[in-house]
Amino acid sequence: IPAEESEDEPLAGEERPDTRLSDRDTAGGNQEGNKEGAVTKDTDGDGHREGQEAEQPDQTPASSNKPRKKKKKRKTKKNSAGETVEDNDLEDIDSLLERIEDPGLVPQSQGGIITDSRPLLYVEHRNLNPENELKRYFGARAVLGDQRPRQRQRQYVRSMWLTAPKNTWPRYSKTGITMQLLDTRRGVQHFTFEHHREYQQVQFKFLDAVESMDPNNIVLLLQMNPYHVDSLLQLSDVCRMQEDQEMARDLIERALYSLECAFHPVFSLTSGTCRLDYRRPENRAFFLALFKHLMFLEKRGCPRTALEFCKLILSLDPENDPLCVLLLIDFLSLRAREYTFLTRLFQEWESHRNLSQLPNFAFSVPLAYFFLSQQEERPELERSQARERAARLIQLALIMFPSVLMPLLDHCSVQPDARVTSHPFFGLNAQISQSPALNQLTSLYVGRTHTLWKDPAVMAWLEPHVHEVLRMVDAQDALVQEAEHKRKIRYQSAPRNIYRHIILSEMKEATAALPLEVTSQPVMGFDPLPPLDSIVSYTRPERTSHPSNESTLSLFFRSLLPNFNLQGDIRHDGDEEAGAAQDLNQGVNRLMAAMRDMLANIQFQEPPRDDNPEGDGDWD
């Protein structure tokens, strides 16, 4: 009886403070309590059980009946789930699970007062679930609805951080993807995904399906392999082009689920110290699935969740940033009203990443300081400091990137005054004279974030700073000349990750500014603009037919007659050299026959006067 009471009493919320006091007073009696309780379970997980066992025995008869009922309920619940493990083992399992799951929540509980003590790219598990954000907006009843009974029925589904498995998905089985730990350098762990032999065969079939240009072939491949990641990514793009947003989002979530099931036991989403190399083709699917997922989340109205996924992508490779999420993270921070995070990112990374030379940071950071200065719950000193920083940074941004102002006002449907319109500094010449690479960055920023500037209070704050910049330009300030010199030297050509980001973002303003060498090559949704220095671990085998070995005449006929094949049914066997000449003759004969058929089918349009001997000279 004392053992049963000791594990159930901590469930009462009002008795927990007393148990914490008793833990200190009766530390020596814990060992005896553990020996006496042959059937015990640490339900609270915080060590409250040992303190309860040392409590006074005169309280036991008064409260022993109710805990027994709870104990019976807990036992029947476990039996119904089919577990036949002894209670001592359950105690060890529960304590281990709590130790494994708690590290993601420890910084929140212990360091919740000082959030700046966490790493900059620390990711919180609870913020990866869009339902948590929707619950804050609409309430749990409106979001969950009747989902709870369904979740109880399906108990074999693994619990995931990135996505929640759905009942409509096919049952998951091993796909052939695993994750390996390559090495650990300076406290940073480098991982990589690996494709097993069976998965490589599916990958080759997928590449054949892509080359066929028929989405139905990808659908057939997914019916046989429902968790093939590249097929899910490619078919998601097809569904999105066909305006089936729900199916497109579902396919991306299924791809994330497949990849998360292959995680290494040591791989952590939250620590910010795990790296993946984008140069390896096996890793790219994870980057792209995360990026496409956050884009769906942002459109769905979950900017806080999208920001957490953006931090996760950036933490996987912060040095190279293969998808250039730095062009997006400021917008998500402003939409999610995480102004402190944006200003902290700017302060910590400006010295070594020159974030102020990106138009999106140059304009978004002062906007974040302005919003901080408007928060009345902050002390007046902080608000005044934020106001000063916002004024200084927005003037520097207008001097460095004058081509942003007029398109931004145009998108916001704001007519500037005569002085701004007539001044050449912000005029059309500012947009024409800038390099194409800078034009892509400014167009991307204006097209993406112009809605944040439509607030009348923001425009009222921006107007005096625009006039101040014009005054500095007329006075020939040294800052203006220095900024013009920087614009001419820098932004000569954009790196490949910026092109990749623009293609994935699908912003019309920025896509129109892409150079011809990018738009002329085919872009696949499962691997847009692959790196030029890719690390290839396995290669695709040679195809059975070799069109490149055909003659020019044969290629010409293949372009006219797609079904024509010069080799016919030639079998490439090394030991059948005797029939090689006969096969070649058959191929030539088929070529001549195809020529005759084509020439025989050519019909010329005869003049109408021959068809109408009486002809009146009028052509139809």
Side-chain angles (χ1 to χ4, degrees):
I1 293 175
E4 291 185 0
E5 178 200 1
S6 64
E7 65 177 336
D8 286 326
E9 277 187 355
L11 293 174
E14 62 273 3
E15 292 181 345
R16 286 188 180 180
D18 299 331
T19 61
R20 291 173 184 170
L21 294 175
S22 63
D23 284 344
R24 302 172 184 172
D25 299 335
T26 61
N30 291 342
Q31 296 179 356
E32 296 179 0
N34 289 334
K35 291 178 182 178
E36 291 175 3
V39 183
T40 57
K41 180 171 180 253
D42 188 3
T43 58
D44 198 39
D46 293 329
H48 296 163
R49 177 174 56 83
E50 291 84 356
Q52 286 290 335
E53 288 174 359
E55 283 203 0
Q56 299 177 1
D58 55 278
Q59 296 178 358
T60 305
S63 60
S64 60
N65 293 330
K66 190 174 181 181
R68 279 184 191 169
K69 293 181 182 178
K70 292 182 180 178
K71 181 71 177 180
K72 289 179 181 178
K73 287 182 181 178
R74 210 173 285 126
K75 281 186 177 180
T76 55
K77 193 172 182 180
K78 287 170 192 167
N79 293 335
S80 64
E83 294 180 5
T84 59
V85 188
E86 294 183 3
D87 289 344
N88 288 331
D89 297 334
L90 283 174
E91 178 183 358
D92 298 335
I93 293 172
D94 287 345
S95 60
L96 285 174
L97 288 176
E98 287 173 356
R99 289 175 186 174
I100 291 173
E101 293 176 357
D102 279 350
L105 302 175
V106 166
Q108 178 190 353
S109 58
Q110 294 181 353
I113 302 175
I114 307 175
T115 56
D116 291 339
S117 63
R118 300 178 187 175
L120 180 65
L121 298 180
Y122 174 80
V123 177
E124 294 187 39
H125 278 146
R126 61 187 179 91
N127 288 331
L128 292 174
N129 188 358
E131 287 187 356
N132 293 334
E133 185 172 3
L134 293 174
K135 285 177 192 175
R136 292 198 295 267
Y137 298 151
F138 307 108
R141 186 181 299 274
V143 175
L144 292 178
D146 57 346
Q147 292 182 12
R148 291 175 183 172
R150 294 180 184 175
Q151 290 177 356
R152 290 174 186 168
Q153 294 173 6
R154 186 164 180 168
Q155 296 180 358
Y156 64 88
V157 177
R158 294 176 58 180
S159 176
M160 293 296 175
W161 291 117
L162 297 178
T163 56
K166 299 179 181 178
N167 296 331
T168 56
W169 289 359
R171 191 177 185 115
Y172 178 79
S173 60
K174 297 267 180 153
T175 59
I177 303 181
T178 57
M179 180 184 280
Q180 299 295 331
L181 174 63
L182 296 179
D183 60 351
T184 302
R185 297 191 300 267
R186 293 178 295 182
V188 177
Q189 298 170 316
H190 295 261
F191 295 86
T192 182
F193 285 98
E194 289 186 352
H195 293 172
H196 291 180
R197 189 172 187 83
E198 60 271 15
Y199 193 90
Q200 293 179 14
Q201 300 301 321
V202 179
Q203 188 74 8
F204 299 149
K205 293 179 183 178
F206 164 73
L207 296 176
D208 293 339
V210 171
E211 290 180 356
S212 69
M213 305 297 291
D214 187 0
N216 293 322
N217 293 332
I218 303 179
V219 175
L220 294 175
L221 182 64
L222 274 177
Q223 290 177 355
M224 301 297 296
N225 308 275
Y227 286 95
H228 181 253
V229 179
D230 285 350
S231 298
L232 293 168
L233 295 178
Q234 189 70 29
L235 192 60
S236 174
D237 284 354
V238 175
C239 294
R240 192 167 41 80
M241 293 176 185
Q242 296 176 352
E243 302 299 329
D244 191 353
Q245 302 292 335
E246 189 66 28
M247 178 58 70
R249 189 178 70 196
D250 187 79
L251 293 172
I252 294 296
E253 292 179 359
R254 205 198 302 180
L256 282 176
Y257 177 75
S258 176
L259 291 167
E260 189 173 1
C261 288
F263 278 179
H264 192 276
V266 189
F267 184 80
S268 172
L269 293 171
T270 60
S271 64
T273 59
C274 297
R275 303 286 185 266
L276 287 174
D277 194 346
Y278 193 82
R279 293 176 299 171
R280 297 180 180 271
E282 297 87 349
N283 296 337
R284 294 173 199 163
F286 189 52
F287 283 88
L288 296 170
L290 289 173
F291 189 90
K292 293 173 185 286
H293 185 56
L294 77 86
M295 295 300 291
F296 280 120
L297 289 172
E298 193 273 326
K299 293 177 182 176
R300 190 181 172 187
C302 301
R304 183 66 185 85
T305 311
L307 174 63
E308 211 68 16
F309 274 92
C310 193
K311 290 160 59 177
L312 174 58
I313 297 174
L314 189 58
S315 69
L316 295 176
D317 194 353
E319 290 81 13
N320 300 314
D321 193 11
L323 299 186
C324 210
V325 293
L326 281 177
L327 298 178
L328 174 66
I329 196 168
D330 62 303
F331 169 67
L332 295 177
S333 301
L334 291 174
R335 276 212 58 196
R337 300 182 180 180
E338 293 291 328
Y339 310 127
T340 306
F341 167 76
L342 179 58
T343 55
R344 182 189 172 194
L345 175 65
F346 181 75
Q347 292 171 2
E348 293 187 11
W349 284 25
E350 167 62 17
S351 59
H352 66 282
R353 298 296 289 269
N354 288 328
L355 296 182
S356 60
Q357 302 306 304
L358 294 174
N360 58 311
F361 272 93
F363 282 88
S364 293
V365 172
L367 186 61
Y369 276 120
F370 169 73
F371 286 135
L372 286 175
S373 68
Q374 301 298 306
Q375 294 179 351
E376 298 181 355
E377 65 272 11
R378 291 185 173 274
E380 182 59 33
L381 179 60
E382 291 185 10
R383 293 174 60 186
S384 62
Q385 291 177 350
R387 205 175 297 114
E388 293 175 1
R389 291 177 182 174
R392 178 169 48 86
L393 290 176
I394 192 60
Q395 293 177 13
L396 292 176
L398 290 169
I399 292 173
M400 187 66 198
F401 306 105
S403 61
V404 173
L405 180 65
M406 298 307 289
L408 185 63
L409 296 178
D410 187 35
H411 277 76
C412 297
S413 302
V414 174
Q415 180 64 34
D417 55 20
R419 185 190 177 195
V420 177
T421 307
S422 60
H423 204 285
F425 186 73
F426 291 119
L428 189 61
N429 185 44
Q431 303 174 40
I432 298 176
S433 61
Q434 66 182 1
S435 64
L438 183 56
N439 187 30
Q440 294 157 15
L441 294 176
T442 56
S443 301
L444 182 69
Y445 177 73
V446 171
R448 175 176 282 156
T449 60
H450 65 271
T451 53
L452 301 173
W453 293 82
K454 286 186 175 181
D455 188 356
V458 174
M459 281 297 165
W461 162 75
L462 177 64
E463 184 178 5
H465 298 300
V466 172
H467 289 288
E468 177 63 22
V469 169
L470 290 180
R471 186 196 63 78
M472 296 171 65
V473 171
D474 294 337
Q476 296 183 353
D477 195 291
L479 284 176
V480 180
Q481 298 177 0
E482 182 183 354
E484 184 179 358
H485 181 66
K486 289 180 179 179
R487 285 198 301 273
K488 290 181 180 179
I489 296 178
R490 302 171 182 174
Y491 315 108
Q492 295 298 322
S493 62
R496 200 171 179 85
N497 60 341
I498 291 183
Y499 292 150
R500 197 178 294 125
H501 177 89
I502 292 174
I503 291 173
L504 290 172
S505 300
E506 296 183 347
M507 298 296 302
K508 295 180 181 179
E509 296 84 356
T511 306
L514 285 174
L516 185 61
E517 61 266 18
V518 175
T519 56
S520 59
Q521 57 180 307
V523 177
M524 297 299 176
F526 70 96
D527 190 9
L529 294 183
L532 301 177
D533 55 346
S534 297
I535 302 175
V536 180
S537 57
Y538 66 94
T539 57
R540 186 180 177 188
E542 293 291 334
R543 305 286 298 273
T544 54
S545 60
H546 301 275
S548 58
N549 295 334
E550 299 179 6
S551 63
T552 306
L553 188 61
S554 176
L555 292 175
F556 169 69
F557 277 101
R558 182 181 292 277
S559 65
L560 297 177
L561 306 170
N563 295 327
F564 170 73
N565 184 14
L566 174 62
Q567 282 95 353
D569 296 329
I570 296 177
R571 296 175 182 174
H572 299 278
D573 295 333
D575 55 351
E576 293 187 358
E577 296 179 0
Q582 182 180 359
D583 292 336
L584 182 59
N585 290 333
Q586 290 179 359
V588 173
N589 292 333
R590 294 186 73 248
L591 176 60
M592 299 302 295
M595 260 179 87
R596 284 194 295 269
D597 291 342
M598 189 189 73
L599 294 174
N601 292 330
I602 294 178
Q603 297 180 359
F604 296 94
Q605 182 71 30
E606 297 182 357
R609 52 187 174 81
D610 294 339
D611 296 338
N612 186 10
E614 300 178 357
D616 52 3
D618 293 336
W619 286 15
D620 189 5

